[in-house]
Amino acid sequence: MAQVEAADELLDADPFALLTGMLLDQQVPLEKAFKGPHVLAERLNVERLDPAAIAGHDPEGFAALFSTVPAIHRFPGSMAERTQKLARMIAEDYDGDAARVWTGAKDGKDLLKRLEALPGFGAQKAKIFVALLGKQFGVQPRGWRAAAGDYGAQGSKRSVADIVDADSLAKVRAFKKEMKAAARS
């Protein structure tokens, strides 16, 4: 996803990093968004992101971590705040274990509902994340494809859920470009 080995390893190993990457995936290239959790971990000098520690971090200091050049996101202040809100919810509602968002889901519909309840996750982002979990992480509760909508379709090249290499990244980019052009006309 991030197209950087160390960043992709963190996304594979750390469920909160994966959620954070998805949270950051707006108005920046998706590689930058999904590299963001790794950059944050480096700046915090940790191997994994701890939702409770992030939630409890001084907001100004945390925003400074996002703003340090190169900034983690195009909008470092607002995305630092959203990341802390997400961390707070994971710490409080899921005992700090981000994977419980999906391991505790009864089915695809419940998973989608849990994701939509997260700060910074709207309906589309939640569907993409359901597809990402199902296609790349083997999280496939009953009805997950239906919950993911078009993003859950086999063989689609619509979103980060379909990116496994440079070729699939190029196909997703081409699809997004087509959609933007269609929306403008």
Side-chain angles (χ1 to χ4, degrees):
M1 287 171 267
Q3 307 296 302
V4 174
E5 187 176 349
D8 285 336
E9 287 173 1
L10 179 64
L11 296 170
D12 286 342
D14 182 346
F16 186 70
L18 186 63
L19 276 176
T20 302
M22 191 71 207
L23 174 73
L24 298 175
D25 188 18
Q26 61 183 58
Q27 299 186 8
V28 296
L30 64 91
E31 303 97 320
K32 181 172 181 65
F34 283 94
K35 185 180 172 192
H38 179 332
V39 174
L40 180 59
E42 286 181 327
R43 291 179 183 176
L44 289 169
N45 198 29
V46 296
E47 289 186 27
R48 292 179 67 129
L49 298 178
D50 177 358
I54 289 171
H57 206 288
D58 168 62
E60 284 184 27
F62 196 70
L65 291 172
F66 265 69
S67 299
T68 300
V69 177
I72 290 176
H73 195 276
R74 179 178 173 192
F75 301 107
S78 61
M79 294 312 287
E81 182 180 342
R82 284 185 187 167
T83 301
Q84 283 193 291
K85 285 180 180 177
L86 176 63
R88 193 169 300 111
M89 185 172 188
I90 296 301
E92 292 173 1
D93 296 356
Y94 295 97
D95 295 322
D97 182 359
R100 287 186 51 205
V101 172
W102 47 92
T103 60
K106 295 178 288 190
D107 55 26
K109 189 175 181 180
D110 185 41
L111 174 56
L112 183 63
K113 181 179 173 185
R114 288 166 169 250
L115 290 166
E116 288 175 334
L118 297 176
F121 279 69
Q124 182 176 358
K125 188 172 288 218
K127 287 179 180 182
I128 292 169
F129 200 77
V130 169
L132 176 64
L133 290 171
K135 290 178 176 183
Q136 294 196 31
F137 291 89
V139 177
Q140 301 177 343
R142 182 178 38 83
W144 74 272
R145 283 194 193 274
D150 290 340
Y151 300 104
Q154 275 185 302
S156 74
K157 296 292 183 231
R158 299 178 157 272
S159 72
V160 68
D162 304 304
I163 298 172
V164 294
D165 56 23
D167 183 53
S168 55
L169 173 61
K171 289 177 181 173
V172 167
R173 280 212 197 300
F175 174 79
K176 287 184 174 194
K177 190 175 181 178
E178 280 179 33
M179 293 297 100
K180 286 180 182 178
R184 280 191 290 257
S185 59

